Amino acid sequence: MLSRLKNLVPTTPKSSALKGQTILALDIGTTNVKAVMVEIADSRISVIGVGRQEQDLADMAAGAIADIQAVVANCNKALSAAEEQAGLRAERVVIGIAGELIKGITDTVTIDRPEATKPISEPEFDEFVKEAQSRAHGQAKHEVTLELSGRSTELRLINSALVSVEVDGYKVTNPIGFQGSTADVQLYTAFAPLVHIGAIEQVAGHLDLDILAVAAEPFAVARAIIGDDPSVSKNAILIDIGGGTTDIAVVRDGGLEGTRMFGIGGRAFTNSIARDMNVSFDQAEFKKITLSEDVSGDETSDIEAALKKTLEVWIQGVQLALSEFDWLDYLPHQIMLCGGGSGLELLQEKLAGETWQKDLPFSKMVQVRTIDVRDVRDTRDRTDSVRDHTMITVLGLARVAADTVSMQPDGSQIVEKISKVVKK
């Protein structure tokens, strides 16, 4: 176990009241580890400590941990900085997970009820949800097996969120107590390969942290934007462009419709510059992030030409991901970006263009902008350190932490989940 800061006050123990709990949100990204200590009280989040540590090129692969020991060392540095600023020692953590093999499935299960006049009970509805999760697990396993050329892999459920519930065709926000002959349950579920979960558990163990939850990162971003207000009716496509992957979440009427991921991120753009201009990765990264600054006209053209090659492949990935939401009659026209790769002006211009949109069910031309920290609901920053779109994912993980600690301690959580994530 790596040494961490001494003489820090421990967080609130598990058996204490839910108010004022201190939890760590940890975003293990391809390019950077971000650690945020938050205090949660009445579903409101206060940021009290922030740390960040850059990762080496070989530490991560396509959004997943490739070198456990190196990632532990990076997390330890970020964590120690957050703890020092907060003046507290972290004990519990919510960790984000990304990668092409993270599968977010949205499925509708129709349940025929033999006793239509009997009110739906919480145990009965719990069984509905389990049935939907089981079906989604089979679909996710099939997709992953195809992507791995027939090799089977063990998957674990990491997130589950209700999208909508109908009883005899009547949409309800809480089905408990309703009577009816059929119940249609639409559920979002996310699954991750056991090997990825195991690596995260190893990291947490080395850091002496108790895992409160593991969250698919696009799910976390959606939770950051939706927040805890049942009156929110947000419609947006959320795109998190990290170093190794692009994660997409579609939100309609304040509910999460689903998520998709593909393995092109900011490093792919940097690699295209390095390859075409015959420079090192670090030099290419510098050229990419300073593209709009003082560079010669000829060099600007060369950089843009290299970026546009990868950009064409990236936009095709976005098209394909959004085309898979084929149960939606329309897609939200607002596109909100976060992650380090989202600051690339050429990328934003490409998204705002007409060509790639024409075969998708947009009701109007898309509007593109980066997510501002002020878009994250019920969260305040006491450190004045969380300032831009690169921190949105880790704030979303903090929202998942708030969701998790608000669940009822006796394990009866279905109604609580409905109140947090179902469409209103």
Side-chain angles (χ1 to χ4, degrees):
M1 184 188 307
L2 296 179
S3 60
R4 286 164 46 209
L5 298 172
K6 307 299 182 182
N7 301 318
L8 295 174
V9 180
T11 58
T12 307
K14 290 183 176 179
S15 59
S16 65
L18 294 179
K19 292 186 178 181
Q21 296 199 56
T22 305
I23 295 173
L24 176 73
L26 189 62
D27 175 11
I28 305 175
T30 300
T31 304
N32 290 283
V33 172
K34 304 179 190 77
V36 170
M37 291 276 286
V38 296
E39 185 177 72
I40 300 169
D42 297 324
S43 293
R44 294 187 177 274
I45 299 166
S46 296
V47 176
I48 59 174
V50 177
R52 183 194 294 249
Q53 176 62 37
E54 188 175 352
Q55 304 236 62
D56 289 336
L57 291 176
D59 296 345
M60 304 285 289
I65 296 171
D67 185 332
I68 291 175
Q69 295 304 316
V71 169
V72 167
N74 295 333
C75 289
N76 185 65
K77 292 175 182 177
L79 172 56
S80 295
E83 288 180 324
E84 183 174 23
Q85 188 173 35
L88 296 167
R89 185 180 181 87
E91 292 185 350
R92 292 178 296 164
V93 64
V94 172
I95 304 179
I97 189 169
E100 291 182 274
L101 297 182
I102 310 301
K103 296 300 176 185
I105 306 293
T106 301
D107 194 19
T108 300
V109 174
T110 299
I111 308 294
D112 293 320
R113 303 184 67 237
E115 299 180 67
T117 59
K118 182 180 178 181
I120 296 174
S121 65
E122 188 169 322
E124 182 184 8
F125 188 67
D126 194 1
E127 290 301 315
F128 296 168
V129 171
K130 288 178 180 177
E131 173 65 22
Q133 290 174 340
S134 177
R135 279 185 33 170
H137 180 271
Q139 182 180 341
K141 192 170 181 65
H142 175 70
E143 291 180 7
V144 170
T145 300
L146 288 177
E147 292 179 27
L148 293 176
S149 301
R151 293 200 321 269
S152 181
T153 187
E154 187 66 30
L155 297 180
R156 184 182 296 180
L157 175 69
I158 53 174
N159 299 118
S160 190
L162 285 162
V163 177
S164 67
V165 184
E166 294 183 2
V167 180
D168 284 354
Y170 176 70
K171 184 170 289 188
V172 299
T173 57
N174 184 345
I176 307 305
F178 280 87
Q179 299 170 307
S181 58
T182 62
D184 296 300
V185 180
Q186 190 175 32
L187 190 73
Y188 164 81
T189 46
F191 299 89
L194 186 60
V195 62
H196 294 342
I197 297 292
I200 285 175
E201 290 173 342
Q202 285 285 320
V203 170
H206 282 295
L207 295 171
D208 197 23
L209 294 170
D210 181 15
I211 297 178
L212 187 65
V214 175
E217 294 196 343
F219 175 84
V221 173
R223 290 298 300 124
I225 301 304
I226 297 170
D228 202 45
D229 185 350
S231 65
V232 171
S233 183
K234 189 71 177 178
N235 295 276
I237 296 171
L238 310 174
I239 304 182
D240 180 2
I241 308 165
T245 63
T246 293
D247 305 336
I248 298 175
V250 176
V251 174
R252 288 207 321 174
D253 299 329
L256 177 61
E257 290 284 356
T259 61
R260 295 292 185 272
M261 303 185 190
F262 61 92
I264 304 176
R267 283 190 176 177
F269 292 97
T270 304
N271 283 327
S272 68
I273 296 173
R275 181 178 57 252
D276 286 10
M277 299 185 70
N278 195 28
V279 296
S280 69
F281 182 90
D282 289 342
Q283 289 173 319
E285 181 70 13
F286 179 79
K287 291 179 184 296
K288 183 181 73 174
I289 63 178
T290 59
L291 178 59
S292 60
E293 300 177 11
D294 295 330
V295 292
S296 68
D298 289 342
E299 185 167 78
T300 296
S301 298
D302 290 343
I303 296 170
E304 289 183 347
L307 290 173
K308 286 177 180 178
K309 292 179 183 179
T310 300
L311 192 55
E312 287 299 324
V313 180
W314 181 84
I315 201 70
Q316 291 173 20
V318 174
Q319 282 180 300
L320 179 60
L322 292 178
S323 70
E324 293 178 1
F325 291 85
D326 52 7
W327 65 92
L328 300 180
D329 52 358
Y330 72 91
L331 289 168
H333 70 277
Q334 185 177 45
I335 296 180
M336 302 174 69
L337 307 177
C338 65
S342 62
L344 195 60
E345 290 184 9
L346 284 177
L347 184 147
Q348 295 189 30
E349 291 171 3
K350 187 70 174 180
L351 277 174
E354 294 184 32
T355 306
W356 75 276
Q357 303 175 36
K358 62 183 181 180
D359 295 326
L360 293 169
F362 289 106
S363 58
K364 58 179 73 173
M365 285 289 294
V366 302
Q367 299 173 355
V368 182
R369 70 176 178 90
T370 54
I371 302 175
D372 191 278
V373 292
R374 290 171 293 186
D375 294 314
V376 180
R377 303 184 63 84
D378 304 317
T379 301
R380 64 170 179 159
D381 177 21
R382 294 183 189 170
T383 69
D384 195 31
S385 302
V386 182
R387 299 177 179 176
D388 61 28
H389 56 275
T390 65
M391 299 295 288
I392 301 302
T393 301
V394 74
L395 294 180
L397 294 171
R399 168 50 56 190
V400 173
D403 292 345
T404 305
V405 299
S406 69
M407 297 295 186
Q408 307 213 2
D410 63 358
S412 178
Q413 302 174 356
I414 296 300
V415 176
E416 191 70 27
K417 288 180 181 179
I418 294 170
S419 68
K420 296 231 173 268
V421 295
V422 74
K423 292 180 185 178
K424 298 295 181 181

